[in-house]
Amino acid sequence: MITIKDISRKCGVSPSTVSRALADSPLLPKTTKTRIQRAAEEMGYVKNEMATSLKTGVRRTVGVVNFVGQNLGFAHYLFSEILNGFSTYINDIDYDILLISDKTLQMGENLIPYLKSKQLGGVLILSGYYDSQGLRQLIGSDIPVVVVDPREEILLSMADCVSSDNFSGMYELTSEIISKGHKNVVFVTGEDYYVTHERVKGFKKALADNAIPFSDQMIVRGNFYNLSAVADNVLKILSYDNNPTCIIFSDDYCAVNAYEVLRSKGLTVGQDISVAGFDGIEMGKHMSPRLTTVVQDAETMGATAAKTLVDRMNGAEKSDTKLIPTGLFLTESVKDLN
Amino acid sequence: MITIKDISRKCGVSPSTVSRALADSPLLPKTTKTRIQRAAEEMGYVKNEMATSLKTGVRRTVGVVNFVGQNLGFAHYLFSEILNGFSTYINDIDYDILLISDKTLQMGENLIPYLKSKQLGGVLILSGYYDSQGLRQLIGSDIPVVVVDPREEILLSMADCVSSDNFSGMYELTSEIISKGHKNVVFVTGEDYYVTHERVKGFKKALADNAIPFSDQMIVRGNFYNLSAVADNVLKILSYDNNPTCIIFSDDYCAVNAYEVLRSKGLTVGQDISVAGFDGIEMGKHMSPRLTTVVQDAETMGATAAKTLVDRMNGAEKSDTKLIPTGLFLTESVKDLN
DNA sequence: CTGTTAGCGCGTTCAC
DNA sequence: GTGAACGCGCTAACAG
């Protein structure tokens, strides 16, 4: 490993001059700067980040908390895509990403000192679905934190948050479904989190705006990215007296599985019953009929989270929750009853 | 941030004594060691890893190269699960994981110095599907590397590799299918990688052992975790003169989509045509009929990769490729023709 | 403009 | 058994 000292010897200057040249300090004349920079380049110099961070107390590294084992861990479609977008942005600005296990957040009082010892510039919580004492500690500390899809509304006022505009997305989807003549729509939600609350609000507002009375039966509690209850929920809905014409699922993964369940009951999606999902996963595009869905822009969510985090690290004040617009993808999986 | 110095003052000893106590050095009497250790604990001391690594030249951190954007990035089921297993093991031994973008591997001659500057103890390649100049450089360097599912066979002799026992898994699956009376089976492979080669070998051996002649038509080139060609491949197979009775896909993700394609052609899986997959993803369990598959033990693959990497970091010699046993899950998606 | 000095927190000599 | 001293690679303060 070649160090700043080696370069200084080679160039006949002092180590600090090399340090300045490498930092592109305005104090040095261009000629010497380029001379030193080129020498460093030639010698294959790469700075020892440990030394820098030991000196400066900060590191070009951010932590990402993911919840391995819960709802598929890294295999969770949406969060994985968000992480893709996040890491692209972070790597572009030459930062690194350190994975932080969810267990870490459960370590108790030493959590903050522990994280500080890692000299992280900031932390991304992916996702806040997993609320905890540890998350609160982290948010309460002076470590910049960005939360994607926070679990509880209260986090919105405590930390920088990024989320899809679930309210509008669901409102638009429901409105379109209603405009196709559906009056008896059932929404199978995910867990009782902020994201779900927003979607339920959007759902109800669309009903209200179209003068369709709401009944409790129209909301069925399901789970995000978990197929274990899909079949039961579908069967329950099919048993309703009023014969619902459309079922909306809180994610495409469950919706795709619902095709399967419905077919096993002899029902054809898009004919006998309509189905819609949420997220916009690849599998939905390959169903027949192709799945109607609200597309979450995961790439933008990730990039926005990254940008927000970097801004915070650079001293920006807490910003308002960033709502990323969703897209609507309407197909024949929702039948036109008109 | 509280340092070793603070503790030394508090305990009335020198910093080096504290350092020794914390390292559990045998030079110190137990009494002083525990006294100091407890003081450190109480004061909420956490060691500054930057300082340690600057001093020792190594860090309790390993890198993970993942290929964001290729075949779903983190959303790739199998690699995500492997990463789950890997990170669980790594975190348990109190190491950290640094994400390394695939772009990094393309940086050219400075790659090794760059990685060394990060002081990584080792690197996991997840996966070797993406072969490259950079990967070769890395393997040729003195940085410990473990490759999961290497792309080319030659890597097996160059680096520590971990993979499922694809040959046996495929052999068993095919044998079982044959024992159910299928003589005309088509295997839709993934890309032309090591993993695929092994599976093709297992497939062919099962045919041979059962005296079923092999024909080129029985192998169709597909793609891993990519639905774009599934429909075309299925249609192609359906057009065969000899009416194949069973199709094996190289991953469950594609197999699940094939259900869809087959149904749109009026065919019922498990009745008119049999289908099997590979991997053992959740979705397959919720299909009707439930999908026959070869289950890859991703958790064990990840943990094995972690253990292998740690061993290498601790000076072990390159070991032989570790083949993780697969499981066979046979269901009515493969019809009994006897 | 540039060199000298000091020190970030820790581990490891080497003395005592 | 323990403390003093040094240095890992880098940067910041202070000189000049």
Side-chain angles (χ1 to χ4, degrees):
Chain A
M1 284 289 77
I2 131 139
T3 78
I4 239 176
K5 238 177 186 165
D6 301 320
I7 303 176
S8 74
R9 262 195 298 273
K10 178 107 172 189
C11 294
V13 293
S14 77
S16 44
T17 302
V18 177
S19 176
R20 289 186 190 110
L22 264 27
D24 207 34
S25 156
L27 296 175
L28 267 56
K30 279 221 164 134
T31 46
T32 38
K33 267 201 292 195
T34 48
R35 182 169 63 93
I36 294 171
Q37 284 164 357
R38 283 173 62 173
E41 179 70 30
E42 279 170 26
M43 300 171 73
Y45 168 81
V46 278
K47 104 156 55 172
N48 183 323
E49 298 177 29
M50 302 303 114
T52 305
S53 97
L54 177 59
K55 179 66 188 172
T56 62
V58 283
R59 195 150 68 118
R60 295 183 71 84
T61 302
V62 297
V64 169
V65 180
N66 200 0
F67 299 105
V68 174
Q70 284 202 281
N71 286 340
L72 306 178
F74 287 107
H76 186 296
Y77 163 79
L78 186 66
F79 296 140
S80 297
E81 285 297 308
I82 292 172
L83 183 54
N84 286 348
F86 182 81
S87 67
T88 299
Y89 185 103
I90 291 293
N91 288 325
D92 279 353
I93 59 170
D94 210 36
Y95 268 66
D96 284 323
I97 295 174
L98 196 72
L99 251 36
I100 300 175
S101 105
D102 51 347
K103 280 190 204 127
T104 303
L105 287 203
Q106 300 164 18
M107 72 188 296
E109 47 177 292
N110 274 348
L111 174 64
I112 302 305
Y114 174 80
L115 287 177
K116 289 207 169 185
S117 83
K118 302 207 178 294
Q119 312 273 157
L120 301 176
V123 175
L124 175 74
I125 304 293
L126 191 70
S127 75
Y129 283 178
Y130 185 82
D131 196 5
S132 71
Q133 176 84 39
L135 181 55
R136 301 299 177 99
Q137 285 173 257
L138 187 51
I139 289 174
S141 78
D142 56 354
I143 300 174
V145 176
V146 169
V147 181
V148 171
D149 282 354
R151 175 165 171 158
E152 321 264 358
E153 276 78 357
I154 190 162
L155 293 178
L156 299 175
S157 60
M158 298 169 65
D160 287 76
C161 294
V162 173
S163 192
S164 276
D165 187 348
N166 289 287
F167 172 81
S168 300
M170 191 66 185
Y171 178 81
E172 288 162 19
L173 172 66
T174 310
S175 299
E176 285 293 333
I177 290 173
I178 292 171
S179 79
K180 289 207 166 198
H182 294 265
K183 294 186 172 4
N184 202 342
V185 183
V186 177
F187 176 26
V188 180
T189 71
E191 278 82 354
D192 186 26
Y193 302 157
Y194 161 65
V195 164
T196 296
H197 302 162
E198 290 300 304
R199 292 183 191 175
V200 168
K201 277 189 218 160
F203 178 69
K204 287 186 176 173
K205 178 154 180 15
L207 293 179
D209 286 358
N210 288 279
I212 297 178
F214 172 78
S215 82
D216 285 342
Q217 274 204 142
M218 292 172 125
I219 301 279
V220 171
R221 164 63 196 280
N223 307 286
F224 288 115
Y225 283 86
N226 182 331
L227 303 182
S228 58
V230 171
D232 284 351
N233 283 333
V234 167
L235 297 184
K236 175 173 161 188
I237 293 164
L238 292 180
S239 76
Y240 282 2
D241 291 337
N242 55 6
N243 294 322
T245 56
C246 181
I247 309 178
I248 304 173
F249 289 88
S250 235
D251 61 74
D252 290 348
Y253 186 68
C254 289
V256 162
N257 185 234
Y259 272 56
E260 195 65 19
V261 178
L262 290 165
R263 278 199 194 104
S264 71
K265 288 285 140 189
L267 300 174
T268 301
V269 173
Q271 291 291 121
D272 310 314
I273 184 123
S274 294
V275 171
F278 214 105
D279 285 357
I281 72 177
E282 189 203 15
M283 182 76 80
K285 299 177 190 159
H286 292 267
M287 303 301 286
S288 53
R290 192 164 164 170
L291 178 64
T292 292
T293 194
V294 177
V295 182
Q296 294 206 53
D297 187 352
E299 196 75 19
T300 301
M301 291 175 77
T304 303
K307 187 175 181 333
T308 306
L309 188 57
V310 171
D311 286 348
R312 278 308 293 267
M313 297 189 309
N314 291 332
E317 289 296 303
K318 167 179 170 350
S319 60
D320 289 339
T321 297
K322 306 239 172 47
L323 292 183
I324 311 302
T326 58
L328 186 56
F329 195 83
L330 212 67
T331 74
E332 330 81 72
S333 79
V334 175
K335 188 178 184 183
D336 191 343
L337 301 179
N338 297 322
Chain B
M1 285 289 78
I2 131 139
T3 79
I4 241 176
K5 235 176 188 167
D6 301 320
I7 303 176
S8 75
R9 261 196 299 274
K10 180 110 172 187
C11 294
V13 293
S14 79
S16 42
T17 303
V18 178
S19 175
R20 291 188 186 108
L22 264 27
D24 207 33
S25 156
L27 297 174
L28 268 55
K30 278 221 164 132
T31 45
T32 39
K33 269 201 289 197
T34 48
R35 182 169 61 93
I36 294 172
Q37 285 164 356
R38 283 173 60 174
E41 178 70 30
E42 280 171 25
M43 299 171 73
Y45 168 80
V46 278
K47 98 156 60 171
N48 183 324
E49 299 178 29
M50 302 302 115
T52 305
S53 96
L54 178 60
K55 182 70 192 164
T56 62
V58 284
R59 198 150 63 119
R60 296 183 70 84
T61 302
V62 298
V64 170
V65 180
N66 200 0
F67 298 106
V68 174
Q70 286 202 278
N71 285 341
L72 307 179
F74 287 108
H76 187 294
Y77 164 78
L78 187 67
F79 296 140
S80 297
E81 286 296 308
I82 291 171
L83 184 53
N84 287 346
F86 182 81
S87 68
T88 299
Y89 186 102
I90 291 294
N91 287 324
D92 279 354
I93 60 170
D94 209 36
Y95 268 66
D96 284 323
I97 295 175
L98 196 72
L99 250 37
I100 300 175
S101 105
D102 51 348
K103 280 189 204 130
T104 302
L105 286 203
Q106 299 165 19
M107 73 189 295
E109 47 177 293
N110 274 347
L111 174 65
I112 302 305
Y114 173 80
L115 287 177
K116 288 207 169 183
S117 82
K118 301 209 177 294
Q119 313 272 160
L120 301 175
V123 174
L124 175 74
I125 304 291
L126 191 69
S127 76
Y129 282 176
Y130 185 81
D131 197 4
S132 70
Q133 176 82 39
L135 181 55
R136 301 298 177 97
Q137 285 173 256
L138 187 51
I139 289 174
S141 78
D142 57 353
I143 301 174
V145 176
V146 170
V147 181
V148 171
D149 281 355
R151 175 165 170 157
E152 321 265 358
E153 275 79 358
I154 190 162
L155 293 178
L156 299 175
S157 60
M158 299 169 66
D160 288 77
C161 294
V162 173
S163 193
S164 275
D165 188 349
N166 289 287
F167 171 82
S168 300
M170 191 66 186
Y171 178 82
E172 288 162 20
L173 172 67
T174 310
S175 299
E176 285 293 334
I177 290 172
I178 293 171
S179 79
K180 289 208 166 197
H182 295 264
K183 294 186 175 357
N184 201 342
V185 183
V186 177
F187 175 27
V188 180
T189 71
E191 278 82 354
D192 185 26
Y193 302 156
Y194 162 66
V195 165
T196 296
H197 302 163
E198 290 300 303
R199 293 183 190 175
V200 168
K201 277 189 218 161
F203 178 69
K204 288 185 176 174
K205 180 156 178 17
L207 293 178
D209 286 359
N210 289 279
I212 297 179
F214 172 78
S215 83
D216 287 343
Q217 274 203 143
M218 292 172 125
I219 302 279
V220 171
R221 163 65 196 282
N223 306 286
F224 287 116
Y225 283 86
N226 181 332
L227 303 182
S228 58
V230 173
D232 284 351
N233 283 333
V234 168
L235 297 183
K236 175 174 163 187
I237 293 164
L238 292 181
S239 75
Y240 282 2
D241 292 337
N242 55 3
N243 293 322
T245 56
C246 181
I247 308 177
I248 304 174
F249 290 88
S250 233
D251 59 74
D252 291 348
Y253 186 68
C254 289
V256 162
N257 186 233
Y259 273 56
E260 194 66 19
V261 177
L262 290 165
R263 277 198 196 106
S264 71
K265 289 284 141 189
L267 299 174
T268 302
V269 173
Q271 291 291 120
D272 309 315
I273 184 121
S274 294
V275 171
F278 214 105
D279 285 357
I281 71 176
E282 190 203 14
M283 182 77 79
K285 299 178 191 159
H286 292 267
M287 302 302 286
S288 53
R290 193 164 163 171
L291 179 65
T292 291
T293 195
V294 176
V295 182
Q296 294 207 55
D297 187 353
E299 195 76 20
T300 300
M301 292 175 76
T304 303
K307 187 175 180 333
T308 306
L309 188 57
V310 170
D311 286 348
R312 278 307 295 265
M313 297 189 309
N314 291 333
E317 289 297 302
K318 168 180 167 354
S319 60
D320 289 338
T321 297
K322 307 241 172 47
L323 292 183
I324 312 302
T326 58
L328 186 57
F329 195 84
L330 211 67
T331 73
E332 329 83 72
S333 78
V334 175
K335 189 180 183 182
D336 192 342
L337 301 178
N338 297 321

